[in-house]
């Protein structure tokens, strides 16, 4: 039988989240054995940071927004808000008095303990000085992408094996405080279970939960071979993603190639017409911050003027569509004229980017039977018009985009307006908060836009 190891994690003194830990039995320094992973495969991930002061109590909280796992995002937000509210209430009622010579504070940070395939694990580390919950604690929430449900840490263990699991954990605690473990079952939360890279299961206790009087958090490391028969199906899937992560997410909303499936999650297509312009590079920076993809309907003669900007947009994953050579109303041209105008523009885009566009947006949204017939690509109109060329005011543009946005909306902007570009960070922030993914027009239709696109599909269960 492999040896069971117990370590305690100590928190650093100055209110930061402690990294240092000691192995009590061997009295050498060691890292938290829980594996953390980079959420590389999560699309549209946002981190919400907040901080402030109540009386003289400082607080800061951080949690992730994961659009493809909305129930998880909701649970994480609730967890943060409840903890913060309790701390602030205590701060108000107590006047935020000093605790052992230190100013009270609350810090909540998080890391991913799994983020691939159909499993996400998020682990919060809370450092609180003052009030109920004083000390350092951790909580892990798991997300079962197959069921689309947030599950508590203990769901890694098979329900029928719960007694065996408790026994194994108690054995691991022998060196620390087995008596406390056996004596007060009701006091344990068992709300932080996660894996090491080698597949051992780590049970982390809040400060003072076991090993009363010891400084730091106790952790029981249950060896892989012994915990294996006790894991639930979900626990096995979670462990597999920690040990051998898939190279993509497999949640509802993600397709096989890792792009977003807008029939399963909320999407909007932001579209920018008439550029590229001197303001387009800044717009690309804003979009990159939100990992948002957009569609640029460019004018051929502007492409000739700024080929590098269009190339940059394509490299960043955006779609570039054809908005005619010189922005003439195509319904005023002959059939041959329409064909020539669009072909010339396609060619300029191909020359600049190496990619031939597959979409046309007719200038002014004006088209007739001739334009439809002569266009080599589907025509894309829009379902939300910001009228940003008329109201050159960022606040107005933001409201005009965000208010009417629905799953499947195609939103019309013009990146030749600085007021429009200045509005985009606000548009992205507010739509992201509502759980929208930002996709290209082609992506909105799963790669197959109809001959006339106005509004994209919306998920059956948004
Ligand atoms: Ni236009």
């Amino acid at each position: 039988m492999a040896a069971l190891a117990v370590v305690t994690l100590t928190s650093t003194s100055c209110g930061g989240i402690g990294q240092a830990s000691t192995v009590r039995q061997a009295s050498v320094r060691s890292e938290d054995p829980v594996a953390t992973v980079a959420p590389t495969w999560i699309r549209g991930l946002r981190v919400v940071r907040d901080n402030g002061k109540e009386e003289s109590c400082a607080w800061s909280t951080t949690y992730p927004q994961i659009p493809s796992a909305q129930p998880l995002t909701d649970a994480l937000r609730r967890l943060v808000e409840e903890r913060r509210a309790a701390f602030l209430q205590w701060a108000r009622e107590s006047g935020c008095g000093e605790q052992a010579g230190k100013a009270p504070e609350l810090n909540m940070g998080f890391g991913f303990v799994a983020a691939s395939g159909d499993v996400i694990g998020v682990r919060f580390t809370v450092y609180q000085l003052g009030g109920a919950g004083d000390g350092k604690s951790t909580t892990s929430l798991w997300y079962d992408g197959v069921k689309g449900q947030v599950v508590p840490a203990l769901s890694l263990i098979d329900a029928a094996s719960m007694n065996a699991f408790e026994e194994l954990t108690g054995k691991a605690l022998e060196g620390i405080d087995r008596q406390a473990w056996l004596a007060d079952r009701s006091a344990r939360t068992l709300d932080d279970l996660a894996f090491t890279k080698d597949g051992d299961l780590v049970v982390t206790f809040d400060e003072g939960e076991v090993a009363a009087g010891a400084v730091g958090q106790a952790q029981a490391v249950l060896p892989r071979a012994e915990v294996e028969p006790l894991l639930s199906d979900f626990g096995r899937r979670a462990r597999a993603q920690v040990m051998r992560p898939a190279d993509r997410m497999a949640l509802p909303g993600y397709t096989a190639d890792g792009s977003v499936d807008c029939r399963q999650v909320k999407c909007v297509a932001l579209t920018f017409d008439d550029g590229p312009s001197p303001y387009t590079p800044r717009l690309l920076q804003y979009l990159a911050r939100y990992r948002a993809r957009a569609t640029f309907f460019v004018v051929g003669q502007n492409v000739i003027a700024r080929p590098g900007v269009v190339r940059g947009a394509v490299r960043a994953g955006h779609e570039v569509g054809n908005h005619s050579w010189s922005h003439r109303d195509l319904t005023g041209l002959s059939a041959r004229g329409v064909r020539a105008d669009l072909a010339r523009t396609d060619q300029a885009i191909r020359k600049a980017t190496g990619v031939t566009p597959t979409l046309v947006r007719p200038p002014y949204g004006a088209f007739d039977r001739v334009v439809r017939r002569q266009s080599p690509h589907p025509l894309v109109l829009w379902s939300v018009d910001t009228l940003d060329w008329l109201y050159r005011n960022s606040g107005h543009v933001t409201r005009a985009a965000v208010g009417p946005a629905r799953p499947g909306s195609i939103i019309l902007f013009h990146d030749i307006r600085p007021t429009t570009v200045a509005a985009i960070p606000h548009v992205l922030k507010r739509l992201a908060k509502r759980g929208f993914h930002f996709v290209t027009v082609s992506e909105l239709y799963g790669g197959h836009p109809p001959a006339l696109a106005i509004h994209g599909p919306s998920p059956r269960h948004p």
Side-chain angles (χ1 to χ4, degrees), residues 400-419:
V402 171
R406 299 287 176 270
S409 287
I410 299 176
I411 308 180
L412 172 63
F413 300 94
H414 296 82
D415 57 327
I416 53 170
R417 301 288 168 210
T419 42

PDB file of all heavy atoms in Angstrom, residues 400-419:
ATOM      1  N   ALA A 400     -27.594  51.540 -28.421  1.00  0.00           N
ATOM      2  CA  ALA A 400     -28.270  51.073 -29.641  1.00  0.00           C
ATOM      3  C   ALA A 400     -27.840  49.655 -30.009  1.00  0.00           C
ATOM      4  O   ALA A 400     -28.596  48.911 -30.638  1.00  0.00           O
ATOM      5  CB  ALA A 400     -27.977  52.031 -30.794  1.00  0.00           C
ATOM      6  N   ALA A 401     -26.627  49.268 -29.607  1.00  0.00           N
ATOM      7  CA  ALA A 401     -26.147  47.920 -29.918  1.00  0.00           C
ATOM      8  C   ALA A 401     -26.603  46.913 -28.862  1.00  0.00           C
ATOM      9  O   ALA A 401     -27.063  45.814 -29.179  1.00  0.00           O
ATOM     10  CB  ALA A 401     -24.620  47.919 -30.004  1.00  0.00           C
ATOM     11  N   VAL A 402     -26.482  47.317 -27.592  1.00  0.00           N
ATOM     12  CA  VAL A 402     -26.695  46.374 -26.491  1.00  0.00           C
ATOM     13  C   VAL A 402     -28.188  46.131 -26.242  1.00  0.00           C
ATOM     14  O   VAL A 402     -28.619  44.995 -26.051  1.00  0.00           O
ATOM     15  CB  VAL A 402     -26.010  46.901 -25.202  1.00  0.00           C
ATOM     16  CG1 VAL A 402     -26.390  46.056 -24.000  1.00  0.00           C
ATOM     17  CG2 VAL A 402     -24.497  46.924 -25.397  1.00  0.00           C
ATOM     18  N   GLY A 403     -28.971  47.210 -26.257  1.00  0.00           N
ATOM     19  CA  GLY A 403     -30.394  47.092 -25.928  1.00  0.00           C
ATOM     20  C   GLY A 403     -31.118  46.035 -26.750  1.00  0.00           C
ATOM     21  O   GLY A 403     -31.702  45.105 -26.191  1.00  0.00           O
ATOM     22  N   PRO A 404     -31.090  46.137 -28.068  1.00  0.00           N
ATOM     23  CA  PRO A 404     -31.857  45.189 -28.883  1.00  0.00           C
ATOM     24  C   PRO A 404     -31.138  43.878 -29.192  1.00  0.00           C
ATOM     25  O   PRO A 404     -31.706  43.028 -29.891  1.00  0.00           O
ATOM     26  CB  PRO A 404     -32.113  45.976 -30.177  1.00  0.00           C
ATOM     27  CG  PRO A 404     -31.031  46.996 -30.237  1.00  0.00           C
ATOM     28  CD  PRO A 404     -30.539  47.246 -28.851  1.00  0.00           C
ATOM     29  N   ALA A 405     -29.910  43.690 -28.711  1.00  0.00           N
ATOM     30  CA  ALA A 405     -29.163  42.468 -29.061  1.00  0.00           C
ATOM     31  C   ALA A 405     -29.860  41.225 -28.520  1.00  0.00           C
ATOM     32  O   ALA A 405     -30.266  41.180 -27.357  1.00  0.00           O
ATOM     33  CB  ALA A 405     -27.736  42.551 -28.519  1.00  0.00           C
ATOM     34  N   ARG A 406     -30.018  40.236 -29.385  1.00  0.00           N
ATOM     35  CA  ARG A 406     -30.635  38.947 -29.024  1.00  0.00           C
ATOM     36  C   ARG A 406     -29.719  37.845 -29.544  1.00  0.00           C
ATOM     37  O   ARG A 406     -28.911  38.100 -30.434  1.00  0.00           O
ATOM     38  CB  ARG A 406     -32.012  38.797 -29.698  1.00  0.00           C
ATOM     39  CG  ARG A 406     -33.032  39.855 -29.321  1.00  0.00           C
ATOM     40  CD  ARG A 406     -33.572  39.663 -27.907  1.00  0.00           C
ATOM     41  NE  ARG A 406     -34.484  40.756 -27.542  1.00  0.00           N
ATOM     42  CZ  ARG A 406     -34.111  41.886 -26.966  1.00  0.00           C
ATOM     43  NH1 ARG A 406     -32.843  42.101 -26.676  1.00  0.00           N
ATOM     44  NH2 ARG A 406     -35.003  42.824 -26.678  1.00  0.00           N
ATOM     45  N   PRO A 407     -29.891  36.614 -29.058  1.00  0.00           N
ATOM     46  CA  PRO A 407     -29.091  35.534 -29.649  1.00  0.00           C
ATOM     47  C   PRO A 407     -29.332  35.480 -31.161  1.00  0.00           C
ATOM     48  O   PRO A 407     -30.488  35.476 -31.602  1.00  0.00           O
ATOM     49  CB  PRO A 407     -29.639  34.286 -28.956  1.00  0.00           C
ATOM     50  CG  PRO A 407     -30.153  34.793 -27.636  1.00  0.00           C
ATOM     51  CD  PRO A 407     -30.719  36.154 -27.936  1.00  0.00           C
ATOM     52  N   GLY A 408     -28.259  35.487 -31.924  1.00  0.00           N
ATOM     53  CA  GLY A 408     -28.369  35.445 -33.384  1.00  0.00           C
ATOM     54  C   GLY A 408     -28.326  36.806 -34.044  1.00  0.00           C
ATOM     55  O   GLY A 408     -28.317  36.898 -35.277  1.00  0.00           O
ATOM     56  N   SER A 409     -28.277  37.879 -33.262  1.00  0.00           N
ATOM     57  CA  SER A 409     -28.268  39.219 -33.862  1.00  0.00           C
ATOM     58  C   SER A 409     -27.021  39.450 -34.710  1.00  0.00           C
ATOM     59  O   SER A 409     -25.922  39.036 -34.347  1.00  0.00           O
ATOM     60  CB  SER A 409     -28.312  40.294 -32.775  1.00  0.00           C
ATOM     61  OG  SER A 409     -29.585  40.370 -32.168  1.00  0.00           O
ATOM     62  N   ILE A 410     -27.240  40.140 -35.826  1.00  0.00           N
ATOM     63  CA  ILE A 410     -26.127  40.662 -36.629  1.00  0.00           C
ATOM     64  C   ILE A 410     -26.177  42.179 -36.450  1.00  0.00           C
ATOM     65  O   ILE A 410     -27.164  42.821 -36.812  1.00  0.00           O
ATOM     66  CB  ILE A 410     -26.284  40.283 -38.117  1.00  0.00           C
ATOM     67  CG1 ILE A 410     -26.288  38.756 -38.273  1.00  0.00           C
ATOM     68  CG2 ILE A 410     -25.164  40.911 -38.948  1.00  0.00           C
ATOM     69  CD1 ILE A 410     -26.544  38.285 -39.705  1.00  0.00           C
ATOM     70  N   ILE A 411     -25.149  42.723 -35.822  1.00  0.00           N
ATOM     71  CA  ILE A 411     -25.179  44.131 -35.423  1.00  0.00           C
ATOM     72  C   ILE A 411     -24.305  44.959 -36.362  1.00  0.00           C
ATOM     73  O   ILE A 411     -23.154  44.593 -36.622  1.00  0.00           O
ATOM     74  CB  ILE A 411     -24.709  44.296 -33.960  1.00  0.00           C
ATOM     75  CG1 ILE A 411     -25.508  43.350 -33.043  1.00  0.00           C
ATOM     76  CG2 ILE A 411     -24.871  45.745 -33.499  1.00  0.00           C
ATOM     77  CD1 ILE A 411     -25.125  43.425 -31.575  1.00  0.00           C
ATOM     78  N   LEU A 412     -24.864  46.040 -36.858  1.00  0.00           N
ATOM     79  CA  LEU A 412     -24.189  46.883 -37.843  1.00  0.00           C
ATOM     80  C   LEU A 412     -23.497  48.087 -37.203  1.00  0.00           C
ATOM     81  O   LEU A 412     -24.137  48.883 -36.512  1.00  0.00           O
ATOM     82  CB  LEU A 412     -25.225  47.383 -38.874  1.00  0.00           C
ATOM     83  CG  LEU A 412     -24.743  48.437 -39.884  1.00  0.00           C
ATOM     84  CD1 LEU A 412     -23.634  47.895 -40.772  1.00  0.00           C
ATOM     85  CD2 LEU A 412     -25.914  48.934 -40.730  1.00  0.00           C
ATOM     86  N   PHE A 413     -22.175  48.170 -37.443  1.00  0.00           N
ATOM     87  CA  PHE A 413     -21.375  49.333 -37.019  1.00  0.00           C
ATOM     88  C   PHE A 413     -20.547  49.796 -38.224  1.00  0.00           C
ATOM     89  O   PHE A 413     -20.439  49.093 -39.234  1.00  0.00           O
ATOM     90  CB  PHE A 413     -20.370  48.958 -35.932  1.00  0.00           C
ATOM     91  CG  PHE A 413     -20.918  48.400 -34.666  1.00  0.00           C
ATOM     92  CD1 PHE A 413     -21.020  47.010 -34.499  1.00  0.00           C
ATOM     93  CD2 PHE A 413     -21.283  49.218 -33.604  1.00  0.00           C
ATOM     94  CE1 PHE A 413     -21.488  46.477 -33.306  1.00  0.00           C
ATOM     95  CE2 PHE A 413     -21.743  48.689 -32.411  1.00  0.00           C
ATOM     96  CZ  PHE A 413     -21.850  47.322 -32.268  1.00  0.00           C
ATOM     97  N   HIS A 414     -19.909  50.955 -38.059  1.00  0.00           N
ATOM     98  CA  HIS A 414     -18.967  51.453 -39.062  1.00  0.00           C
ATOM     99  C   HIS A 414     -17.654  51.797 -38.369  1.00  0.00           C
ATOM    100  O   HIS A 414     -17.641  52.667 -37.499  1.00  0.00           O
ATOM    101  CB  HIS A 414     -19.548  52.681 -39.762  1.00  0.00           C
ATOM    102  CG  HIS A 414     -20.795  52.368 -40.541  1.00  0.00           C
ATOM    103  ND1 HIS A 414     -22.032  52.296 -39.952  1.00  0.00           N
ATOM    104  CD2 HIS A 414     -20.963  52.067 -41.853  1.00  0.00           C
ATOM    105  CE1 HIS A 414     -22.923  51.977 -40.873  1.00  0.00           C
ATOM    106  NE2 HIS A 414     -22.311  51.832 -42.038  1.00  0.00           N
ATOM    107  N   ASP A 415     -16.586  51.105 -38.746  1.00  0.00           N
ATOM    108  CA  ASP A 415     -15.310  51.358 -38.060  1.00  0.00           C
ATOM    109  C   ASP A 415     -14.570  52.547 -38.651  1.00  0.00           C
ATOM    110  O   ASP A 415     -13.391  52.766 -38.344  1.00  0.00           O
ATOM    111  CB  ASP A 415     -14.418  50.106 -38.020  1.00  0.00           C
ATOM    112  CG  ASP A 415     -14.118  49.520 -39.376  1.00  0.00           C
ATOM    113  OD1 ASP A 415     -14.981  49.613 -40.268  1.00  0.00           O
ATOM    114  OD2 ASP A 415     -13.019  48.956 -39.556  1.00  0.00           O
ATOM    115  N   ILE A 416     -15.261  53.351 -39.474  1.00  0.00           N
ATOM    116  CA  ILE A 416     -14.668  54.619 -39.917  1.00  0.00           C
ATOM    117  C   ILE A 416     -15.035  55.748 -38.956  1.00  0.00           C
ATOM    118  O   ILE A 416     -14.633  56.892 -39.162  1.00  0.00           O
ATOM    119  CB  ILE A 416     -15.123  54.991 -41.351  1.00  0.00           C
ATOM    120  CG1 ILE A 416     -16.651  54.970 -41.444  1.00  0.00           C
ATOM    121  CG2 ILE A 416     -14.524  54.025 -42.359  1.00  0.00           C
ATOM    122  CD1 ILE A 416     -17.196  55.563 -42.737  1.00  0.00           C
ATOM    123  N   ARG A 417     -15.835  55.415 -37.903  1.00  0.00           N
ATOM    124  CA  ARG A 417     -16.250  56.436 -36.929  1.00  0.00           C
ATOM    125  C   ARG A 417     -15.488  56.242 -35.618  1.00  0.00           C
ATOM    126  O   ARG A 417     -15.648  55.192 -34.966  1.00  0.00           O
ATOM    127  CB  ARG A 417     -17.747  56.317 -36.624  1.00  0.00           C
ATOM    128  CG  ARG A 417     -18.649  56.457 -37.812  1.00  0.00           C
ATOM    129  CD  ARG A 417     -18.706  57.879 -38.310  1.00  0.00           C
ATOM    130  NE  ARG A 417     -19.342  57.926 -39.619  1.00  0.00           N
ATOM    131  CZ  ARG A 417     -19.060  58.839 -40.541  1.00  0.00           C
ATOM    132  NH1 ARG A 417     -18.170  59.789 -40.291  1.00  0.00           N
ATOM    133  NH2 ARG A 417     -19.675  58.815 -41.704  1.00  0.00           N
ATOM    134  N   PRO A 418     -14.721  57.220 -35.191  1.00  0.00           N
ATOM    135  CA  PRO A 418     -14.004  57.071 -33.910  1.00  0.00           C
ATOM    136  C   PRO A 418     -14.959  56.896 -32.737  1.00  0.00           C
ATOM    137  O   PRO A 418     -14.635  56.202 -31.770  1.00  0.00           O
ATOM    138  CB  PRO A 418     -13.196  58.368 -33.781  1.00  0.00           C
ATOM    139  CG  PRO A 418     -13.752  59.307 -34.791  1.00  0.00           C
ATOM    140  CD  PRO A 418     -14.393  58.496 -35.868  1.00  0.00           C
ATOM    141  N   THR A 419     -16.135  57.517 -32.813  1.00  0.00           N
ATOM    142  CA  THR A 419     -17.105  57.372 -31.717  1.00  0.00           C
ATOM    143  C   THR A 419     -17.606  55.932 -31.616  1.00  0.00           C
ATOM    144  O   THR A 419     -17.909  55.440 -30.524  1.00  0.00           O
ATOM    145  CB  THR A 419     -18.301  58.315 -31.938  1.00  0.00           C
ATOM    146  OG1 THR A 419     -18.678  58.283 -33.327  1.00  0.00           O
ATOM    147  CG2 THR A 419     -17.947  59.740 -31.554  1.00  0.00           C
TER     148      THR A 419
END
